[in-house]
Amino acid sequence: MSTDPEATPADPAPADPATAEDPGTTPATPEPPSDTAEPGGAQAPAQPGTPADAAPDAAPDEAGDSEEPGPAGTGETAPEAAPALSEAQAELAAQRVERERIARRKAERDPVDAGGKLSGRAADLLAAVRAVESGAKAPALTFDEAPAAPRRAAAPAPPQPRPQAAPRPVGDVSAVRAVLVRGGAPEALAGPAAEALGEGAADRLAEDPWLLLAVPGVRPAQADGFAQALLGPAAGPADERRGAALLGWLLAQAAERGHTALEAPVLEKALAQYGVPAPAETLEAGIGDGAVLVFHEPLGEPVAEDEEQPVRILVGLEEHALAEESLADGLARLAATFSAAADWEASGTGAELVRAVAGAGLVTHSGGEAARAEPLALVAAARERGLRTVLAAHAPAPGAVTVADLLTGAQGPGRDADGRFELDLLVVLDAPQLDVETAAALVESVPDGARLVLSGDAGVLGSAGPGRVFADVLAARAFPHVVSRTPDPGPIGELVSGIGVGELNQVDAPGKEVVIVPVRDAGEAVHRTVQLVADSVPRAFGVPAEAVQVVTPGHGGPAGTRALNAALKERLNPGPGRFLGFDPGDRVVHVPAPGRALPARVVSADAEGLHLDAAGARIVVPRERVESRVRHGWAVTAHQAVGSRWPAVVVVLPGDAAQALSRDWVYTAFGRAERHLSVVHGVDQALAHAVAQVPPKPRTTRLTGLLRSLTAAQHEQP
């Protein structure tokens, strides 16, 4: 590695991992917050015992961060009425139909008796559940261990037509706005609040001000200030309404960080941090009211009948728990309903994968970027045999449809009368990017007898949404797994492979494929980045500036995406920003939904909105959605870059990013480069420390246990 495109190779010495603290081993507990801003930017006093707010496990690099408009106290604006359905809303609507079908199927099942040997907190929580089942309170859906045998999933409902957005009554928004004004909250929150709370939003909000936490971007301290303004002295930290709202908010925040559930003690600790005086009672009340679900997960190997099975009590939101169970059912169904194909002989690239798919309905495949050739070879072989085969990917890729477009029907095969895809083999690339709800909708749409291949690089950043689907399926060890032996080539491949096992190695780069550019501060980092993109890399390597991608840990800060994009625009496409900061020719990222970042270029703008060209496809982003859905795209975060590669990549590591680095972040960012990688290095030994000692943040999920139970039951059947 060298220090400049025209310099001799050099590399910073790695840190000594034995002397470094490991920040990646802390439990996933929501941390006490620090933001004290109240609605409307006022510093209204928070309730006694209420710390300032911060999201649990917050990190600068939010996956596909779209920055929804209208958080209280930010000064940003929010739409006051719902426009025509966006692409993201259409996708969510399709998933909602699927979840409703899953819920109906779940409701038809017989209850499962479990937990007879629980004691302590587990017994207390289970008692709350049994009280619900006995009719003491409104019924609540609960989860327990998987049944003894896998259940055949009912056929999906026929695909629903894409719903058309009905205009929200102006009176609803106006009434909500009046309540917000009384409580000192920004009027701009009226539209999002009316949408989040639905019918009767104004009356509900006036009766329970803490429901404001359902609006994206609103923090507990802001909701406390709003409640105090509306209710006066009655708005205390012990209010049951406050505890219920905080419980739902904490689980929603955890889902944004990838968890499908949280352990009961973790939730109780978080509630206590926000000043709830009786967190255990608040949690049990939420279970009894059906606001959250509780279930227990056995720990370790099964024990004898006269012994007590260790368990952990998990609490989660209904939609995530239902999706996780549906996904487990669907994967087990596919593994059990395929027909073996003994004549699938293969040699050469992907031969091992082809043979595995011949004998199994569900196969997992892992490897680096070069290993993508193996599922592509499988697709070719399957089509030669006359199989209806579909290749899907997280981001746009040659020969593949995107998972999002496959689910909405914009691309891919049609569906049969039962609502399932008309295909024999579905190969999914970038499987680590599947969140649990997307994966459940996808698997439920694959017909009995068809085959599914989940392929991906296990070292990259995980999904933007809740769950760790690919990792959980691998951990279950219930299905055939093919590990690619194809190494990523060249100095970049060698560097990234080492990072994957926790080693930041010095690599020989005779062609200056890897270059280190040391910087002293953020200002110099921005200056050198612009110089690399606009001049050094195109001149030294023949890669045009439009094919050079900048990757940095976060959006904010003096060397985040905003600062870098402003500097790169000034150099590469200067202009006044005639349409909400954008000009024709600007390189942008379109974020139709969290976790989806589509590179595009601005073509024009008119009264209809911002017109984009995304790899030849024309996209029109309505004016009211531009601020939250479009960013300049010369510089992106690693989460936004995952699934895509560029001829040259400049990774910017300013000094203030040291705490945000982790092994999977570095692995993902460095692995986006095909021919050349420049590292603008300002974090000293923090880079080596992150690679050696900061593993991916853990996620609390249930899928692995469900799969093990279901597949074990399959093997026990005669």
Side-chain angles (χ1 to χ4, degrees):
M1 293 184 280
S2 57
T3 58
D4 193 86
E6 289 124 8
T8 49
D11 186 54
D16 179 5
T19 62
E21 182 183 359
D22 182 0
T25 59
T26 55
T29 305
E31 299 177 358
S34 59
D35 177 12
T36 58
E38 298 300 334
Q43 297 294 325
Q47 292 297 333
T50 304
D53 311 312
D57 299 331
D61 182 4
E62 295 298 338
D65 180 11
S66 61
E67 289 198 329
E68 290 286 350
T74 64
E76 297 181 15
T77 59
E80 296 187 0
L85 278 189
S86 66
E87 181 182 354
Q89 289 172 314
E91 181 177 343
L92 290 173
Q95 292 189 11
R96 190 178 303 113
V97 170
E98 187 68 17
R99 287 199 301 270
E100 290 172 354
R101 189 194 61 75
I102 293 168
R104 288 195 300 271
R105 178 163 62 87
K106 176 68 180 177
E108 294 170 356
R109 298 176 182 160
D110 295 331
V112 178
D113 187 21
K117 297 182 179 181
L118 298 183
S119 61
R121 171 58 55 205
D124 293 340
L125 290 174
L126 188 59
V129 178
R130 294 290 163 81
V132 174
E133 294 172 346
S134 66
K137 293 187 178 182
L141 181 62
T142 62
F143 281 73
D144 215 304
E145 293 184 53
R151 299 175 293 275
R152 184 184 180 90
Q160 301 294 318
R162 179 172 293 188
Q164 298 299 315
R168 184 172 298 281
V170 177
D172 288 351
V173 176
S174 299
V176 171
R177 183 183 295 110
V179 176
L180 292 173
V181 170
R182 275 198 293 135
E187 295 183 39
L189 293 178
E195 183 176 355
L197 299 179
E199 186 176 355
D203 292 337
R204 295 179 61 203
L205 194 58
E207 181 180 349
D208 183 354
W210 287 284
L211 290 177
L212 191 66
L213 282 172
V215 178
V218 175
R219 320 293 301 176
Q222 297 165 336
D224 284 335
F226 177 66
Q228 189 177 54
L230 285 182
L231 305 179
D239 195 301
E240 292 182 359
R241 296 168 294 183
R242 179 177 185 270
L246 279 171
L247 179 60
W249 180 82
L250 286 167
L251 286 170
Q253 293 294 300
E256 291 183 5
R257 270 66 189 173
H259 307 285
T260 58
L262 289 179
E263 294 188 42
V266 171
L267 266 176
E268 290 180 11
K269 179 181 178 182
L271 288 167
Q273 288 177 323
Y274 282 95
V276 176
E281 287 76 3
T282 297
L283 179 55
E284 291 178 6
I287 295 168
D289 292 337
V292 297
L293 310 181
V294 61
F295 41 88
H296 75 270
E297 180 177 69
L299 297 175
E301 298 296 325
V303 300
E305 290 187 5
D306 58 343
E307 298 180 15
E308 183 174 344
Q309 177 73 54
V311 299
R312 64 172 181 170
I313 300 300
L314 298 176
V315 180
L317 297 174
E318 179 180 1
E319 59 265 31
H320 305 143
L322 281 173
E324 207 156 24
E325 179 160 304
S326 174
L327 175 58
D329 281 346
L331 293 172
R333 170 180 62 84
L334 293 178
T337 59
F338 82 103
S339 299
D343 60 337
W344 279 38
E345 295 297 331
S347 61
T349 302
E352 184 180 2
L353 180 59
V354 170
R355 289 192 292 269
V357 173
L362 174 60
V363 175
T364 56
H365 169 265
S366 61
E369 289 296 330
R372 292 170 76 98
E374 295 170 15
L376 296 180
L378 167 65
V379 168
R383 287 172 176 167
E384 287 178 0
R385 289 168 170 79
L387 298 183
R388 300 170 299 174
T389 303
V390 173
L391 178 67
H394 171 68
V401 302
T402 66
V403 170
D405 285 344
L406 178 62
L407 286 174
T408 60
Q411 290 182 300
R415 294 181 182 251
D416 60 23
D418 293 326
R420 290 193 165 136
F421 297 138
E422 294 178 325
L423 52 73
D424 303 305
L425 171 64
L426 174 61
V427 179
V428 181
L429 304 176
D430 309 317
Q433 302 311 303
L434 290 173
D435 63 77
V436 67
E437 292 188 84
T438 300
L442 191 68
V443 170
E444 287 284 351
S445 298
V446 178
D448 289 357
R451 290 170 168 80
L452 173 65
V453 175
L454 299 177
S455 175
D457 188 339
V460 300
L461 289 163
S463 64
R468 32 167 271 158
V469 172
F470 190 59
D472 281 347
V473 173
L474 295 182
R477 300 181 182 274
F479 312 105
H481 177 50
V482 177
V483 180
S484 174
R485 298 180 178 86
T486 305
D488 287 336
I492 297 176
E494 182 183 349
L495 176 64
V496 173
S497 296
I499 292 169
V501 296
E503 299 175 358
L504 185 63
N505 299 318
Q506 181 174 342
V507 298
D508 292 329
K512 299 176 184 174
E513 294 88 348
V514 180
V515 171
I516 303 297
V517 182
V519 294
R520 293 181 298 270
D521 53 40
E524 186 181 2
V526 173
H527 172 75
R528 293 305 303 272
T529 299
V530 173
Q531 184 182 53
L532 285 164
V533 173
D535 180 45
S536 299
V537 172
R539 175 166 45 85
F541 304 103
V543 177
E546 57 267 22
V548 181
Q549 182 63 58
V550 177
V551 180
T552 192
H555 295 301
T561 62
R562 297 187 189 94
L564 287 166
N565 277 317
L568 288 163
K569 174 176 171 56
E570 183 178 356
R571 176 68 180 273
L572 299 174
N573 193 47
R578 289 173 290 176
F579 190 89
L580 297 178
F582 299 99
D583 294 297
D586 277 359
R587 188 168 163 181
V588 297
V589 171
H590 176 223
V591 184
R596 294 186 59 207
L598 306 177
R601 192 170 295 276
V602 175
V603 176
S604 62
D606 54 26
E608 190 178 1
L610 192 66
H611 294 250
L612 308 178
D613 183 320
R618 288 302 179 96
I619 299 172
V620 180
V621 182
R623 181 184 182 89
E624 63 273 11
R625 297 287 183 183
V626 169
E627 186 176 2
S628 63
R629 295 290 180 256
V630 183
R631 291 182 181 274
H632 282 109
W634 289 281
V636 298
T637 66
H639 272 108
Q640 292 177 321
V642 70
S644 300
R645 298 189 84 205
W646 293 268
V649 168
V650 178
V651 176
V652 183
L653 303 176
D656 61 354
Q659 296 301 316
L661 299 181
S662 61
R663 183 183 305 154
D664 54 340
W665 191 95
V666 178
Y667 183 93
T668 302
F670 285 19
R672 299 313 93 206
E674 294 175 341
R675 294 169 47 194
H676 173 75
L677 169 67
S678 282
V679 181
V680 178
H681 195 315
V683 292
D684 296 325
Q685 300 303 319
L687 176 59
H689 169 73
V691 170
Q693 300 208 32
V694 188
K697 288 185 178 180
R699 297 185 178 191
T700 303
T701 62
R702 194 179 175 227
L703 181 59
T704 296
L706 286 168
L707 288 173
R708 286 174 176 168
S709 297
L710 288 169
T711 53
Q714 284 181 335
H715 293 315
E716 291 173 1
Q717 289 182 334

